[in-house]
Amino acid sequence: MGICAVCNGLLAIGSFFSDENEELMIVKFEAETSTSERRVKAYLADKEAFIREVWRLCPPIPAVTALMNHEGAIYWPRFFGCFGKGHKVVRANAPRQLVISMANRDAAVFLEPKVFRPSRPDLHMAVTWNGCFGKYSTTEESARMDEAAYPRICPGRYLSLDLAKAVVDAALGLESEDGP
């Protein structure tokens, strides 16, 4: 994630601390996160999980482009009458847009994918950083396992979390763990 992506991510985090943000209408909140005050408490309970869950639902970079490595038929549903329905042949090396925000709401991967739940056990499966951050590793030292599994995973994923925590902590008036 570049600095612009972190800024987009901070906007998403900020929207989760508001009770009147229209963007949140697509997110379902449980009792423990039903108000902005309760979401602040959830943030304080586990800052990293809170940020990762916000970014699972509202990724700072919602899509990536990849090249098709071979010619193939792709099923295209009909959307609003704009596109033809059926299978379309896509040639090798053609760019293809991959929508991360939809992958992070896949009901086959995430239990109740529209629910905001920072404590979810499947949070490590979110592809927010172009790969599942923590699927194979849980510490910075073992991050090479994630990097081997996802060659395009963001090398700045730890930095983006640290920056987000520092900005959110400052906005909430919290003391920094590392001093002023």
Side-chain angles (χ1 to χ4, degrees), residues 4 35 47 53 56 62 66 73 81 85-87 97-98 109 116 120 140 147 163-164 174 180:
C4 290
T35 66
K47 295 175 183 181
E53 178 68 348
R56 179 187 70 82
K85 185 177 179 181
H87 289 84
Q97 192 74 24
L98 307 172
V109 176
F116 177 73
R120 69 174 51 253
E140 193 166 348
E147 290 165 2
L163 285 170
L174 302 175

Side-chain angles (χ1 to χ4, degrees), residues 68-148:
M68 292 286 291
N69 60 4
H70 62 281
E71 184 173 290
I74 298 175
Y75 177 74
W76 290 27
R78 187 173 185 91
F79 292 111
F80 309 112
C82 297
F83 303 116
K85 185 177 179 181
H87 289 84
K88 306 294 180 194
V89 174
V90 180
R91 68 186 182 346
N93 296 317
R96 182 174 182 196
Q97 192 74 24
L98 307 172
V99 185
I100 292 171
S101 58
M102 296 306 293
N104 283 345
R105 293 170 184 255
D106 187 345
V109 176
F110 298 100
L111 179 66
E112 298 179 289
K114 293 180 182 178
V115 173
F116 177 73
R117 185 180 297 136
S119 62
R120 69 174 51 253
D122 48 12
L123 186 55
H124 66 283
M125 295 300 293
V127 291
T128 307
W129 288 269
N130 293 338
C132 297
F133 177 15
K135 179 178 180 182
Y136 297 101
S137 67
T138 54
T139 65
E140 193 166 348
E141 293 77 31
S142 63
R144 284 185 293 249
M145 294 180 345
D146 283 332
E147 290 165 2

Side-chain angles (χ1 to χ4, degrees), residues 1-124:
M1 260 186 220
I3 194 66
C4 290
V6 174
C7 291
N8 289 342
L10 287 167
L11 286 171
I13 294 167
S15 73
F16 273 72
F17 288 121
S18 170
D19 284 329
E20 300 178 14
N21 193 314
E22 291 181 13
E23 291 178 26
L24 296 182
M25 293 175 65
I26 61 170
V27 176
K28 295 179 182 177
F29 292 101
E30 296 177 312
E32 61 267 10
T33 58
S34 61
T35 66
S36 59
E37 292 82 15
R38 290 179 177 177
R39 289 190 288 278
V40 169
K41 287 181 183 176
Y43 171 77
L44 295 173
D46 190 337
K47 295 175 183 181
E48 181 173 322
F50 185 94
I51 292 168
R52 289 174 68 158
E53 178 68 348
V54 169
W55 288 353
R56 179 187 70 82
L57 291 164
C58 301
I61 299 176
V64 296
T65 302
L67 296 179
M68 292 286 291
N69 60 4
H70 62 281
E71 184 173 290
I74 298 175
Y75 177 74
W76 290 27
R78 187 173 185 91
F79 292 111
F80 309 112
C82 297
F83 303 116
K85 185 177 179 181
H87 289 84
K88 306 294 180 194
V89 174
V90 180
R91 68 186 182 346
N93 296 317
R96 182 174 182 196
Q97 192 74 24
L98 307 172
V99 185
I100 292 171
S101 58
M102 296 306 293
N104 283 345
R105 293 170 184 255
D106 187 345
V109 176
F110 298 100
L111 179 66
E112 298 179 289
K114 293 180 182 178
V115 173
F116 177 73
R117 185 180 297 136
S119 62
R120 69 174 51 253
D122 48 12
L123 186 55
H124 66 283

